[in-house]
Amino acid sequence: MFLRIDHVGIACNDLEEKIAFYESTFGLTVVSREVNEEQGVREAMLHVADGDGGASYVQLLEPLHPDTAVGKFLARRGEGVHHIGYGVADVAKAMEEIAGQGVRLVDERPRHGSMGAAIAFLHPKDTGGVLTELVQAPRDNGH
Amino acid sequence: MFLRIDHVGIACNDLEEKIAFYESTFGLTVVSREVNEEQGVREAMLHVADGDGGASYVQLLEPLHPDTAVGKFLARRGEGVHHIGYGVADVAKAMEEIAGQGVRLVDERPRHGSMGAAIAFLHPKDTGGVLTELVQAPRDNGH
């Protein structure tokens, strides 16, 4: 079902500072910046690698307000890994298969993710404490 | 510097239960099981994808004892993402470059990781709360 580790989603207090850190320390390159009002985040995607199943990224997330999912995460646990996104070919089909295994979905239907992807989150209580995201990349961005 | 997201390291209370979950829910396959006494873990590597820079895995970690790094992590935060491993071509060279950027290393020299890799951890206080591992795969395992 999984085609790739699409991204590691990392919550941070200062997006620009963390971008500069990942660029200078690890040599990663920003390929996209977005504000996702629905998810309450300002974010950047930094390219790590290309693979048979698509590309892999580090996703840096800064909350737009303290009263957002990422804002509450930062208040509770501090900066760190917020979620893991895995690439799938068909997010709706994957959601159906996973729900059929008894795993609760955070999203009832796919929603908009980074760089035009269709995404859905699985409930971390049913996935061993790992907030897990399914990512179907758009067909025209090289995935 | 980074060739791939080598693995997502996930701490769990029951390795066999979590392997069964990742196999049945997400269709991943175990490619290696090891006990690493030095790190105090029983672990499994589940293959996710192959890429230009090597393969990507989910690494499931169960502590051998409560008084280990992963055991303490579980007691403090519960099950979830413990660290992120990135592939590098030369772990010793990467350590030198990263230390030169002012990031503290947990390991003074490379040590043994999963599946014959040479690894080193960076200090999470200097990497935005993300315990970050450098992974140099052995030359003969298809990486």
Side-chain angles (χ1 to χ4, degrees):
Chain A
M1 178 187 293
F2 288 167
L3 304 177
R4 64 188 175 280
I5 300 175
D6 185 88
H7 65 271
V8 178
I10 296 171
C12 64
N13 294 312
D14 183 331
L15 183 62
E16 295 307 320
E17 180 223 45
K18 211 61 82 197
I19 288 172
F21 172 78
Y22 272 85
E23 287 180 334
S24 65
T25 309
F26 301 133
L28 301 189
T29 305
V30 173
V31 291
S32 169
R33 288 171 188 257
E34 291 179 48
V35 172
N36 188 321
E37 295 281 353
E38 186 193 36
Q39 291 181 39
V41 292
R42 179 180 297 114
E43 60 166 75
M45 296 291 270
L46 290 83
H47 181 263
V48 178
D50 293 310
D52 303 346
S56 293
Y57 304 90
V58 167
Q59 180 187 54
L60 300 174
L61 303 160
E62 179 194 312
L64 294 174
H65 312 287
D67 188 28
T68 57
V70 174
K72 290 172 188 168
F73 175 93
L74 283 171
R76 197 170 65 246
R77 308 186 65 159
E79 293 188 323
V81 177
H82 178 260
H83 68 268
I84 305 296
Y86 296 98
V88 296
D90 182 330
V91 69
K93 185 158 169 268
M95 289 167 76
E96 192 179 323
E97 287 178 21
I98 289 167
Q101 297 282 335
V103 174
R104 283 168 291 177
L105 309 175
V106 173
D107 301 300
E108 286 191 29
R109 58 182 69 85
R111 53 179 161 135
H112 297 296
S114 306
M115 301 192 295
I119 65 156
F121 282 95
L122 313 181
H123 202 299
K125 285 199 179 163
D126 290 348
T127 55
V130 180
L131 179 58
T132 301
E133 180 183 352
L134 309 174
V135 182
Q136 178 186 339
R139 291 184 183 278
D140 60 354
N141 78 344
H143 283 276
Chain B
M1 178 186 294
F2 288 168
L3 303 177
R4 63 189 177 278
I5 300 175
D6 185 88
H7 65 271
V8 178
I10 297 171
C12 64
N13 294 312
D14 184 332
L15 182 64
E16 295 309 321
E17 181 222 46
K18 209 62 81 196
I19 287 172
F21 172 79
Y22 271 86
E23 286 181 333
S24 65
T25 310
F26 301 133
L28 300 190
T29 306
V30 173
V31 292
S32 168
R33 288 171 188 259
E34 293 179 46
V35 172
N36 187 321
E37 296 280 354
E38 186 193 37
Q39 291 181 39
V41 292
R42 180 180 296 110
E43 61 165 74
M45 296 291 271
L46 292 83
H47 181 261
V48 178
D50 293 310
D52 302 345
S56 293
Y57 304 90
V58 167
Q59 180 187 53
L60 299 175
L61 303 160
E62 180 193 313
L64 293 175
H65 313 287
D67 190 28
T68 58
V70 173
K72 290 174 188 169
F73 175 92
L74 284 171
R76 197 170 64 243
R77 308 187 64 157
E79 294 188 323
V81 177
H82 178 261
H83 69 268
I84 305 295
Y86 296 97
V88 296
D90 182 330
V91 69
K93 186 158 169 266
M95 291 167 75
E96 191 179 324
E97 286 179 21
I98 289 166
Q101 295 283 333
V103 173
R104 282 168 291 176
L105 309 175
V106 173
D107 301 300
E108 286 191 30
R109 58 182 69 84
R111 51 179 164 137
H112 296 295
S114 304
M115 302 193 294
I119 65 158
F121 283 95
L122 313 181
H123 203 297
K125 285 200 178 161
D126 290 347
T127 55
V130 180
L131 180 57
T132 301
E133 179 182 351
L134 308 174
V135 183
Q136 178 186 340
R139 292 185 182 278
D140 59 354
N141 77 345
H143 281 275

